[in-house]
Every structure is written in structure tokens, then in C-alpha cells.
Amino acid sequence: MNILVSACLLGVSCRYDGKHNFCPELGRIAEEHTLIPVCPESYGGLPVPRDPAEIREDRVIMKSGKDVTAEFQRGAGCMMQLADFFSCEMAILKERSPSCGSGKIYDGTFSKTLTDGEGIFARLVRVAGIPIIGEPEIPVVFPT
Ligand code: SF4
């Protein structure tokens, strides 16, 4: 099947700090499935590196105070076009991200405090009916 994957999990250095979150287990999954890399923040026009951002009352705010909700929404919309084009049946998304996180995200205070919630892109993926797993769940959903 075609699976959406956060590009930073595939080793792309697209995180806010210019780093990645390479997840070696994805190599094993790629032997049987087609992985479609997505980075909604990059496709929304945000640079690398960039200020960290968190969701506060349905807005996405950078640590500097800049409101980047529009950029996050634009990138998420672009990535949903990819999901639709490739008829993706699953998404493996980076946990805790204000775009890709599902279940828990940072609370908007930039104090590393987690709260219940989901990222801007993860919300669209969920509403589209595409199952989402975070990277820690890979061994459970795709056992060796
Ligand atoms: Fe990774 Fe998603 Fe953040 Fe891009 S938007 S760096 S894919 S977590």
C-alpha cells in the first residue's frame, strides 16, 4: 500500500532546527510498501531552519510570536493532495509536531509541556479517514 511518511523520519533535514528524526525501521517497511514523503511545514513555504512553533487556541504561533497558521494550513493542504493522488491508506507521522503530531502535542507555552491534541496536518489526515500511527508504534503495527 501507499503510506504517507513524515519526511524527517526518512532522514530529510527539514525540522525547525535543521535536523532530522531518521527512523531506520522504515527501510524494512519500504521493502513491501511505497512510502510517500511529506513535510507540510516545508511545503507551506517555511524555511529550514525556522523558529519552533506550537499550537495555541487553534492558531500556530512561532516562539518569536509570529502567527504562521496560514503557512501550516497551506502546506497541510498540499500534502493532502499528495495523499489523494497516491490513494494513501496509512500515515506514519512524527509524534508531538504541531503539523504531524497525533494524540499529544506541545501546549503552546514553549515549556516542553505536552497536552492532548493533534497537528494541523494530522487533523486533515484523520478527517480523511486515513489511519495514523506515530513512529513508536511501528514495531507493533509492522512486527518483524
Ligand atoms: Fe517532520 Fe512533519 Fe515537522 Fe516536516 S512538518 S519536519 S515532516 S514533523
Side-chain angles (χ1 to χ4, degrees):
M1 63 180 156
N2 290 343
I3 304 176
L4 293 169
V5 182
S6 294
C8 57
L9 295 176
L10 289 165
V12 179
S13 299
C14 50
R15 277 175 39 142
Y16 73 94
D17 56 3
K19 297 179 180 175
H20 58 72
N21 300 101
F22 180 59
C23 179
E25 287 168 301
L26 288 169
R28 181 168 57 79
I29 298 173
E31 291 174 6
E32 295 187 18
H33 303 283
T34 302
L35 307 185
I36 310 295
V38 289
C39 180
E41 292 174 32
S42 296
Y43 277 84
L46 295 170
V48 178
R50 55 189 173 274
D51 246 11
E54 296 188 1
I55 295 178
R56 192 186 308 156
E57 296 172 359
D58 279 339
R59 305 298 298 176
V60 189
I61 309 294
M62 283 184 152
K63 198 169 184 182
S64 65
K66 183 181 179 190
D67 187 321
V68 285
T69 308
E71 287 87 341
F72 271 59
Q73 290 175 336
R74 182 166 58 233
C78 286
M79 299 301 90
M80 288 309 296
Q81 289 182 7
L82 274 182
D84 186 42
F85 183 81
F86 287 105
S87 301
C88 293
E89 298 176 51
M90 178 180 277
I92 302 174
L93 300 183
K94 176 72 189 80
E95 290 205 332
R96 301 185 296 278
S97 153
S99 285
C100 296
S102 57
K104 294 278 184 188
I105 55 171
Y106 292 112
D107 71 351
T109 61
F110 296 96
S111 60
K112 300 199 183 309
T113 306
L114 289 170
T115 186
D116 292 340
E118 59 192 352
I120 302 292
F121 176 56
R123 179 179 303 171
L124 296 184
V125 173
R126 176 179 59 76
V127 168
I130 301 171
I132 300 172
I133 67 168
E135 70 279 11
E137 298 169 83
I138 290 175
V140 178
V141 179
F142 297 94
T144 50

